[in-house]
Amino acid sequence: MRVGFEKVYIVYRRTEKELPARLEEIRHAKEEGVEFIFLHAPSEIYEEEGHVAGMKFEIMELGEPDQSGRQRPVGTGKFVDLDVDTVIVALGTGPNPIIQKSALTDGIELNTDKKGYLIVNEDTRETSIPAIYAGGDVAPVGESNAINAMGAGKKAAKAINEYLAK
Ligand SMILES: Cc1cc2nc3c(=O)[nH]c(=O)nc-3n(C[C@H](O)[C@H](O)[C@H](O)COP(=O)(O)OP(=O)(O)OC[C@H]3O[C@@H](n4cnc5c(N)ncnc54)[C@H](O)[C@@H]3O)c2cc1C
């Protein structure tokens, strides 16, 4: 809304009750004019000459609770289109797989866990590649937040300094 789009939607496959965001974030978004559409799951992004030309959604209803305790969204088999020209996908986060892929291509062994996060020495933040350090969300320790990312950066900086001094 702030950069001048006429309409901005947040489309979510469950209801407002299950929305994984802080209450004030939802309230602020609404105050700024963002329109929430609940019980809709993305099904297709239409394309015209390489550009987004709309989106198709399946209308959902809530079923039995899943492992997280939240009611699972179930498709109704009914679909609707939404006239949009820009799509921002917000379906969780993960490390950029290019890091592991390029290491593999170059024949470099890079230790990652099964989700692709880098495994590092917790004290020095050094990866399995000597003299390459990592911190922040790509090599998380505990919760992924700005403070932990900065803390990891500080640890890595100290270790890098010691490495270079040798
Ligand atoms: C919606 C949301 C809300 C959040 N709210 C908070 C909050 O309130 N407080 C808080 O502390 N934390 C919050 N976080 C978490 C916080 O944003 C992250 O923990 C923090 O940004 C991690 O910093 P980082 O430097 O590790 O990674 P990032 O900030 O993700 O930086 C990684 C950078 O690397 C770039 N990159 C990726 N691949 C490549 C490549 N191949 N080549 C070059 N560049 C590349 C990316 O574009 C990105 O700019 C939030 C996160 C999200 C998604």
Side-chain angles (χ1 to χ4, degrees):
M1 296 306 289
R2 289 179 195 173
V3 295
F5 283 96
E6 283 164 31
K7 268 193 173 290
V8 176
Y9 305 101
I10 288 179
V11 187
Y12 181 50
R13 61 199 180 126
R14 291 179 161 108
T15 72
E16 181 159 356
K17 204 170 122 234
E18 292 82 26
L19 202 60
R22 294 187 198 118
L23 291 177
E24 74 267 25
E25 288 175 330
I26 300 169
R27 185 165 58 83
H28 290 159
K30 285 181 179 170
E31 278 172 6
E32 293 201 27
V34 174
E35 219 172 283
F36 285 74
I37 299 177
F38 296 108
L39 291 169
H40 281 54
S43 161
E44 190 179 340
I45 299 175
Y46 300 124
E47 181 247 311
E48 233 175 66
E49 293 173 12
H51 296 280
V52 173
M55 248 185 112
K56 182 179 180 181
F57 292 90
E58 181 169 12
I59 298 174
M60 312 299 280
E61 57 190 21
L62 291 183
E64 294 298 310
D66 63 13
Q67 281 174 335
S68 71
R70 295 181 303 169
Q71 280 182 279
R72 192 193 302 270
V74 184
T76 61
K78 290 184 198 130
F79 293 85
V80 288
D81 287 346
L82 198 59
D83 182 22
V84 294
D85 57 16
T86 302
V87 177
I88 297 173
V89 180
L91 300 171
T93 58
N96 187 341
I98 201 173
I99 303 169
Q100 302 85 321
K101 274 190 201 150
S102 53
L104 204 67
T105 311
D106 291 346
I108 298 167
E109 203 171 309
L110 180 62
N111 284 349
T112 58
D113 67 16
K114 61 179 188 301
K115 287 186 174 168
Y117 292 100
L118 303 185
I119 296 170
V120 297
N121 176 314
E122 278 195 28
D123 296 323
T124 63
R125 313 298 309 177
E126 193 172 24
T127 66
S128 56
I129 307 172
I132 302 288
Y133 300 77
D137 287 7
V138 79
V141 175
E143 218 177 294
S144 287
N145 59 36
I147 299 288
N148 281 344
M150 286 189 276
K154 213 168 165 184
K155 272 189 185 172
K158 188 167 172 282
I160 292 165
N161 194 34
E162 283 167 11
Y163 174 84
L164 292 174
K166 280 187 207 152

